[in-house]
Amino acid sequence: MAKDHAVEFKGISKRFGHKTANDKVDLYLDRGVIMSLLGENGSGKTTLMNMLAGIYFPDEGEIFIDGKPVVIKSPKDAFDNGIGMIHQHFKLVDVFTAAENIVLGLREEGRLDRRKVSAKVREIAEKYGFDIDPDKKIYEMSVSEKQTVEIIKVLYRGADILILDEPTAVLTPQETGKLFKVLKAMRADGKSIILITHKLNEVMEISDVVAVLRKGQHVATVRTSETSEKELTEMMVGHTVSLDIDRPLPVDPKPRLTVAGLTVKDSEGVTKLDDVGLVAYGGEILGIAGIAGSGQKELLEAIAGLRHIQKGSIIYTPEHEAPAELVGKSPMEIKEAGVALAFVPEDRLGMGLVGGMGMTGNMMLRSWNKGKGIFVDTKAPEKLAEKVLENLDVQTPGIDYPVRKLSGGNVQKVLVGREIASAPSVLMSAYAVRGLDINTSYTIYNLMTEQKMKGVAVVFVGEDLDVLLELCDRILVLCGGKVSGVVDARKATKEQIGLMMTSTDFIHSSPMPGETISQAEAMVAKAREEEERLAREKAEAAAAAAAVAEAEAEAQTEATEEAVKEVEKND
Amino acid sequence: MTEKVPLIRLTKREDMAKSKVWLIRLLAFLLALVLGGLVFLIAGANPITAYSTMIAGSLGKATGIRQVVKVAVPLLGTALALAPCFAMRFWNIGAEGQITMGAMMATFFALKMVNSMPSPVLLLVMGASAAIMGALWAGIPAFFKARWGTNETLFTLMMNYIAIGIVGWLQGGPWEGKPGSQIIPMFDERAVLPTVFGVHIGWILVLVLTFLMYIYMTKTKHGYEIAVLGESENTARYAGMDVRKVMLRTACLSGGIAGLVGFMICSGADQTLYQNVAGGVGFTAITVTWLAQLNPFAMIIISLLLAVLSKGASTIQTIMGVPASISDIITGIILLCMLGCEFFINYKMIFRGHEELPAAPETAAPGVTAAPGKEVEA
Ligand SMILES: Nc1ncnc2c1ncn2[C@@H]1O[C@H](COP(=O)(O)OP(=O)(O)OP(=O)(O)O)[C@@H](O)[C@H]1O
Ligand SMILES: [Mg+2]
């Protein structure tokens, strides 16, 4: 052997009951290399990495570090071997500062010298290009900042083998860019990095080699430069797949949801939505684009009745029924009216799912109150669970197996599957494919389209502009809580939307002269007219709030400038 | 390399056969008996005779059985009362007080209204008022928790002392029988629960209640709400449940059943009221509920078991002169063994060098296999 590998798995197997999560995995990784670990949901990626990080102990096989066999029984053993893992769910103490969290659990001689810790944290941050304030409390931090703390925590402990489990699932493209820069700096420093992700473009961008797992087995490790997204997908799935989104024209679109002048403040009084107007048609997919935190989440939550609305109206026009105002209704009433929210929260199990129950119990969460009498109906949820299991190919031993024990992506399938299956007339989804493997993501896209063809008004908040442009009929772009425009998804370009995401001054795109006006385009025009009319009506009211808005706008421009720079860099 | 593998390691078990689970529980119980036997030895008694005396004293004669049932009835009833609260993760440790207050209310009618209505009506009124009073007593802490997020554990515990204090005052004051006796008079027989097979009718009541509670917890909307709320408040809210209402309603139901138990104790078993009417049942029932893992039918067995132990203990005290507190020790040992065995049901210990061989290898070379039902790699 010429050179010892940084990490090597030899014949590693891990079983949970009858379920084989890893099956005789042979895998190695060298120093100064970034490896992507790819595989479908439930293929055993997290389990394999947990064995390196000392969370699980393998049933069979050996792990070698620098060519020497090691026994990793606990996270501490992992640290002693220079291994650090950043988990999908962060493990930080909210009321402590970044620095305190970083040294937490370290057994150092003598008293804790805060200044020395802070200095060392700063040193690490500088070396790799992190952005961090060691004295900031965790509860004041954004997801990406928390992640930074987790990474520095393992670096502080001297890790030179880093494992990141789906770190980009919760990051904005800008934040992902930053993370990747840091990872490259670490690679230059000779560290070995294992990155789990479902986003193939990221795999191609960042990694040197790609290891693919399928049903717990190691299929192959290939050089990134010698492979393609298509080939990787096929390796992962085991057969050829077509990754196309079918986008039929909307048939007979009718306004289903008309939002006007919607203004929402959060509990601290910060304006999250500012005079938002939109029209969602039955039979179309309305995409919502924007930099993370531009009000997407608040918009959907406001419509679903989960947010206090300062002012504005939300008119819901069901098929064959009179229009109704949703503002002032309870979330339950709104849900019952047929407005479904398939929101995928950062903490999947905390909201929307009951970890200790099986799929059936979780399906019941939507229907438990249906029907007269005191008894719950278990037959319908059972059928629904079977259907979701089949449609989305959920990897579970059975519909009554606690969902907590499923892999991250499969937990998500249960959530999304349930919302889609609730036969809504408005289906809102945010980050529906977060953490889902590519194949399943496309299944979800196609299910959305299926809903659209049934006449459902689909509102789709997404992060991936390519997907939005391929899937949606129209795209509404939010910027800092304001609508910066609505575009025809069949005509718009990524650059155009990127610009609109960072500035509200952007003028609505207009149809190119000489082109036939498509049905979708006509809808854009109609929707725009409607929105403009609403805007005019709200104009007077807005004048009063102008003074406040000005102060806010100032703060906004700063943020905007930064974002523009970011976009320019990315382009 | 092998010698560096940890000596013992634990892995989670997933699907153990039901029969095996019960076998382990049985073994744990036997182990507890053996350990209890050692305690008898230390106390200077022959374990075999001690155990057989306990059995003979509690289950050997009809009177013994009757007394066992009498002890088991309030235990089972209270355990049932606690089940929905615990499923909701509302730590109601105030059953003691709820029983006491229920009994107090029933006693009020038994003492003051005995001449104004026929016996069956009187008994119904006593039961209903006891349930309402118990519900109120549990409802107060629940209301505070729902409204201001106070800690229910402490609050319900404190309410116990208030209840016991109130009855103590009644006993020595307004409701005192013979002046200076510090005793509330015995109930008129019109205010006493009728008996069936020599035990007050409460035993039928709790059996019916067991069945109803099982249905309530597993088949009703309320039961589902409780289960979801117990897991996550956020999820409950997301599902459109009224968290405060569910919390309040469940606590009141729990307190109501406890109050009813109080009625059964004073009207059926004691036929009077005194300060110690609950006699620790509210606390022992917590053990029953936990050991039964909230399963109402398992509660029947466990409360009977505990009743046999306590009845048997008083027998050996009289016959063999062994202190009755031995029964508490043995109860503790049984508890420890039962809880311990749950650990072995959930985890598997693997000793170094005894690794299990993999299940039938169904694997071929990586990259060639495909799961059944899926097309093989293109
Ligand atoms: N603690 C556990 N108990 C039982 N089964 C488990 C446990 N952890 C994982 N599994 C099972 O092992 C398999 C592999 O899970 P793992 O979490 O490693 O998948 P993954 O590749 O990380 O998937 P994802 O992309 O969805 O996160 C799944 O079928 C899962 O249900
Ligand atoms: Mg995972």
Side-chain angles (χ1 to χ4, degrees):
Chain A
M1 202 191 282
K3 193 176 91 183
D4 287 329
H5 301 300
V7 184
E8 183 164 13
F9 292 96
K10 271 195 186 154
I12 294 285
S13 293
K14 179 76 191 170
R15 275 174 291 275
F16 296 104
H18 295 304
K19 170 93 202 168
T20 303
N22 287 130
D23 189 4
K24 302 202 184 66
V25 173
D26 295 307
L27 194 66
Y28 68 82
L29 172 65
D30 287 319
R31 297 246 163 253
V33 170
I34 299 181
M35 174 193 260
S36 291
L37 189 57
L38 208 55
E40 287 188 286
N41 295 128
S43 55
K45 304 180 293 295
T46 302
T47 306
L48 186 66
M49 289 304 115
N50 273 340
M51 285 189 275
L52 193 54
I55 311 279
Y56 294 143
F57 193 83
D59 292 338
E60 276 168 52
E62 285 178 276
I63 298 174
F64 296 82
I65 303 291
D66 293 327
K68 285 186 285 290
V70 291
V71 174
I72 306 170
K73 288 175 289 186
S74 67
K76 194 187 162 294
D77 290 355
F79 276 127
D80 292 345
N81 283 297
I83 301 162
M85 178 158 172
I86 290 95
H87 294 271
Q88 262 168 299
H89 302 282
F90 303 145
K91 296 170 172 156
L92 297 170
V93 183
D94 261 356
V95 293
F96 283 8
T97 64
E100 283 165 344
N101 266 288
I102 287 165
V103 292
L104 197 68
L106 269 186
R107 251 171 276 161
E108 277 182 0
E109 298 291 302
R111 274 188 31 177
L112 179 65
D113 183 345
R114 274 161 212 278
R115 238 177 315 149
K116 234 165 76 192
V117 173
S118 286
K120 192 169 166 197
V121 168
R122 285 215 177 81
E123 187 193 308
I124 294 174
E126 226 156 89
K127 187 165 168 195
Y128 298 111
F130 288 107
D131 238 349
I132 191 179
D133 171 7
D135 301 317
K136 198 167 171 184
K137 293 255 196 317
I138 300 296
Y139 64 81
E140 297 170 329
M141 290 189 174
S142 70
V143 181
S144 113
E145 285 176 297
K146 287 182 195 169
Q147 188 176 70
T148 306
V149 176
E150 288 277 19
I151 298 174
I152 295 183
K153 192 169 158 182
V154 302
L155 290 175
Y156 190 96
R157 286 159 167 72
D160 45 21
I161 299 165
L162 274 92
I163 310 160
L164 297 105
D165 196 352
E166 295 189 39
T168 60
V170 291
L171 298 185
T172 64
Q174 285 78 13
E175 290 166 339
T176 302
K178 260 189 218 165
L179 174 67
F180 283 0
K181 239 175 266 158
V182 168
L183 293 187
K184 281 177 188 154
M186 290 185 196
R187 169 173 62 190
D189 195 38
K191 301 210 183 287
S192 310
I193 296 164
I194 304 176
L195 177 77
I196 303 182
T197 176
H198 289 296
K199 299 180 189 165
L200 289 175
N201 56 337
E202 293 177 358
V203 171
M204 301 308 284
E205 180 190 335
I206 185 86
S207 55
D208 305 302
V209 291
V210 189
V212 181
L213 289 186
R214 181 165 82 232
K215 298 191 191 322
Q217 300 181 338
H218 177 221
V219 180
T221 300
V222 289
R223 267 179 222 289
T224 314
S225 53
E226 292 164 9
T227 187
S228 65
E229 293 191 17
K230 190 164 159 46
E231 193 189 20
L232 288 175
T233 311
E234 288 181 11
M235 273 200 262
M236 234 158 61
V237 182
H239 53 88
T240 42
V241 284
S242 67
L243 297 178
D244 292 314
I245 306 179
D246 185 29
R247 181 168 55 182
L249 275 174
V251 181
D252 186 23
K254 286 195 212 75
R256 181 67 43 83
L257 208 56
T258 313
V259 176
L262 192 66
T263 302
V264 168
K265 290 196 166 103
D266 69 4
S267 53
E268 267 124 52
V270 180
T271 307
K272 288 289 182 180
L273 288 179
D274 189 357
D275 200 25
V276 168
L278 67 87
V279 183
Y281 289 85
E284 69 151 357
I285 300 183
L286 174 67
I288 309 240
I291 300 172
S294 303
Q296 298 96 316
K297 186 175 145 194
E298 287 78 9
L299 176 61
L300 299 202
E301 287 183 348
I303 296 174
L306 296 167
R307 287 241 166 206
H308 180 68
I309 292 168
Q310 246 68 28
K311 62 185 176 42
S313 90
I314 303 166
I315 306 287
Y316 169 55
T317 320
E319 203 124 6
H320 318 300
E321 271 175 66
E325 173 65 70
L326 292 187
V327 177
K329 286 214 164 84
S330 75
M332 202 63 199
E333 288 166 332
I334 293 173
K335 212 176 273 187
E336 236 130 64
V339 180
L341 174 59
F343 180 69
V344 178
E346 270 141 34
D347 174 15
R348 292 176 191 128
L349 287 174
M351 186 173 135
L353 284 180
V354 185
M357 292 184 182
M359 282 180 71
T360 311
N362 276 293
M363 295 299 141
M364 243 190 261
L365 216 47
R366 269 203 139 283
S367 62
W368 63 277
N369 211 7
K370 292 238 171 73
K372 293 208 177 60
I374 59 163
F375 295 105
V376 279
D377 171 23
T378 50
K379 292 266 154 27
E382 234 161 62
K383 269 211 204 95
L384 184 57
E386 304 268 9
K387 201 174 115 192
V388 170
L389 182 100
E390 201 175 303
N391 281 355
L392 294 182
D393 190 24
V394 180
Q395 301 284 315
T396 173
I399 54 170
D400 290 317
Y401 194 72
V403 297
R404 175 179 295 130
K405 290 183 180 164
L406 305 184
S407 83
N410 282 300
V411 170
Q412 171 121 4
K413 289 184 197 175
V414 176
L415 183 69
V416 176
R418 180 186 69 201
E419 296 306 318
I420 291 182
S422 71
S425 92
V426 177
L427 175 64
M428 303 187 285
S429 77
Y431 315 117
V433 298
R434 241 182 212 175
L436 290 190
D437 64 51
I438 181 135
N439 205 18
T440 316
S441 299
Y442 275 77
T443 310
I444 300 271
Y445 301 146
N446 290 324
L447 280 171
M448 298 266 173
T449 305
E450 211 174 88
Q451 292 293 310
K452 153 183 154 183
M453 293 322 284
K454 279 188 188 154
V456 172
V458 180
V459 180
F460 183 87
V461 172
E463 291 158 310
D464 190 335
L465 288 184
D466 291 314
V467 169
L468 280 171
L469 283 167
E470 239 180 287
L471 173 71
C472 304
D473 297 298
R474 292 185 300 134
I475 300 172
L476 178 134
V477 188
L478 282 176
C479 173
K482 288 193 176 120
V483 177
S484 55
V486 184
V487 297
D488 183 344
R490 289 181 177 78
K491 296 271 165 61
T493 62
K494 241 170 121 174
E495 289 68 33
Q496 189 185 4
I497 295 177
L499 261 174
M500 292 169 76
M501 279 163 68
T502 53
S503 154
T504 48
D505 304 334
F506 191 82
I507 317 288
H508 298 308
S509 72
S510 46
M512 306 282 173
E515 272 187 28
T516 47
I517 305 257
S518 71
Q519 200 171 355
E521 231 160 53
M523 266 169 55
V524 178
K526 223 164 87 187
R528 199 173 299 141
E529 258 166 44
E530 186 78 13
E531 274 149 21
E532 270 160 14
R533 187 181 61 78
L534 294 167
R536 266 199 308 280
E537 278 170 16
K538 293 283 152 189
E540 293 111 63
V548 187
E550 216 167 83
E552 268 168 15
E554 239 170 67
Q556 199 68 65
T557 27
E558 270 172 45
T560 308
E561 269 164 23
E562 203 150 277
V564 172
K565 263 186 240 147
E566 207 56 61
V567 168
E568 279 167 2
K569 255 182 267 161
N570 285 353
D571 290 347
Chain B
M1 149 97 201
T2 348
E3 71 277 5
K4 275 166 86 192
V5 169
L7 178 62
I8 301 172
R9 40 179 241 265
L10 298 170
T11 35
K12 244 196 159 139
R13 276 181 212 269
E14 285 305 323
D15 338 88
M16 192 191 263
K18 268 261 154 54
S19 56
K20 208 170 161 197
V21 169
W22 283 105
L23 183 73
I24 290 182
R25 290 194 180 136
L26 186 73
L27 286 176
F29 181 65
L30 291 179
L31 178 72
L33 290 186
V34 171
L35 291 175
L38 286 178
V39 175
F40 279 125
L41 271 181
I42 293 165
N46 180 338
I48 311 251
T49 31
Y51 279 128
S52 50
T53 314
M54 279 176 94
I55 301 284
S58 54
L59 300 174
K61 289 175 301 206
T63 48
I65 294 179
R66 274 189 216 119
Q67 285 192 31
V68 165
V69 172
K70 229 184 204 168
V71 175
V73 163
L75 262 186
L76 175 57
T78 314
L80 290 170
L82 294 178
C85 270
F86 287 2
M88 195 177 67
R89 310 235 172 131
F90 179 97
W91 307 120
N92 176 11
I93 53 171
E96 195 83 354
Q98 291 141 26
I99 293 171
T100 309
M101 289 314 273
M104 182 201 83
M105 218 47 214
T107 305
F108 170 77
F109 287 98
L111 295 178
K112 311 289 176 193
M113 301 293 195
V114 67
N115 292 320
S116 37
M117 48 187 121
S119 172
V121 179
L122 176 66
L123 286 173
L124 279 181
V125 169
M126 284 167 69
S129 62
I132 291 168
M133 195 62 211
L136 199 71
W137 213 245
I140 295 168
F143 176 78
F144 273 79
K145 179 173 169 107
R147 198 100 229 148
W148 296 288
T150 52
N151 180 318
E152 79 279 9
T153 319
L154 262 165
F155 208 140
T156 48
L157 183 68
M158 290 315 187
M159 295 289 281
N160 288 342
Y161 301 116
I162 301 177
I164 291 167
I166 292 175
V167 172
W169 166 69
L170 288 171
Q171 193 180 332
W175 290 1
E176 196 180 29
K178 253 195 271 139
S181 68
Q182 295 277 321
I183 287 175
I184 295 173
M186 294 297 279
F187 291 180
D188 184 283
E189 64 180 20
R190 280 169 291 169
V192 171
L193 277 175
T195 56
V196 175
F197 298 131
V199 185
H200 66 83
I201 201 163
W203 70 269
I204 299 180
L205 233 84
V206 288
L207 284 183
V208 172
L209 211 57
T210 308
F211 183 71
L212 290 181
M213 186 51 80
Y214 173 76
I215 300 286
Y216 183 77
M217 301 264 284
T218 55
K219 307 266 188 261
T220 66
K221 290 176 183 174
H222 286 186
Y224 184 72
E225 284 179 301
I226 290 169
V228 173
L229 184 54
E231 185 104 19
S232 149
E233 220 178 292
N234 273 335
T235 305
R237 220 168 265 129
Y238 169 91
M241 295 171 185
D242 186 340
V243 171
R244 285 179 182 178
K245 189 172 122 194
V246 176
M247 199 180 277
L248 211 59
R249 185 184 66 206
T250 310
C252 286
L253 175 74
S254 173
I257 297 175
L260 206 60
V261 171
F263 157 66
M264 289 183 222
I265 298 176
C266 72
S267 165
D270 299 347
Q271 305 179 8
T272 183
L273 174 71
Y274 63 109
Q275 204 175 9
N276 201 22
V277 56
V281 164
F283 296 118
T284 315
I286 296 175
T287 318
V288 178
T289 312
W290 266 135
L291 278 183
Q293 300 186 346
L294 306 189
N295 178 338
F297 297 115
M299 288 174 197
I300 300 182
I301 300 168
I302 290 161
S303 46
L304 276 174
L305 179 71
L306 291 188
V308 166
L309 271 176
S310 92
K311 175 69 188 72
S314 63
T315 314
I316 52 172
Q317 183 172 29
T318 29
I319 295 181
M320 300 173 65
V322 177
S325 52
I326 290 278
S327 135
D328 291 339
I329 298 177
I330 293 175
T331 312
I333 292 174
I334 291 185
L335 238 164
L336 209 69
C337 289
M338 295 315 256
L339 293 176
C341 90
E342 296 306 317
F343 174 83
F344 289 100
I345 289 169
N346 288 315
Y347 294 89
K348 176 162 54 175
M349 286 208 287
I350 300 176
F351 288 89
R352 180 162 68 204
H354 290 266
E355 273 83 4
E356 276 175 56
L357 286 168
E362 40 175 345
T363 48
V368 193
T369 31
K374 290 229 154 188
E375 313 93 288
V376 177
E377 191 174 20

